[in-house]
Amino acid sequence: MTYKKGQLFYIEHHRKGGFYCQAIDDFDMDIDFYPLIDLSDGERFACKNKFCKLTPLEEVPAEYRHNMLKEGAE
């Protein structure tokens, strides 16, 4: 499965628990590290695929939207 930059997710991480995130680049699910941004604090991170489960979302709660990538921004 391939996801595009900007895709929203709910992530269930084996150590950190659950949180909302967004793809910062296009990626395929078979890579080792997913390129994401944590929408609670705006920090970019690479999440190892073996430690997390991603659930694609259409939108996230309003309190997380301020950290979303801006359309057309790098």
Side-chain angles (χ1 to χ4, degrees), residues 35-71:
L36 304 169
I37 184 171
D38 182 341
L39 295 179
S40 64
D41 60 14
E43 292 294 319
R44 293 173 181 235
F45 68 103
C47 188
K48 187 153 180 75
N49 66 6
K50 294 179 182 179
F51 296 138
C52 62
K53 176 186 173 192
L54 295 178
T55 302
L57 302 173
E58 293 296 319
E59 60 182 67
V60 295
E63 62 265 27
Y64 297 103
R65 293 183 190 147
H66 68 281
N67 284 324
M68 288 174 56
L69 297 174
K70 305 293 186 241
E71 187 123 355

Side-chain angles (χ1 to χ4, degrees), residues 10-14 17-19 51-55:
Y10 183 77
I11 187 171
E12 294 175 56
H13 193 278
H14 292 283
F19 53 95
F51 296 138
C52 62
K53 176 186 173 192
L54 295 178
T55 302

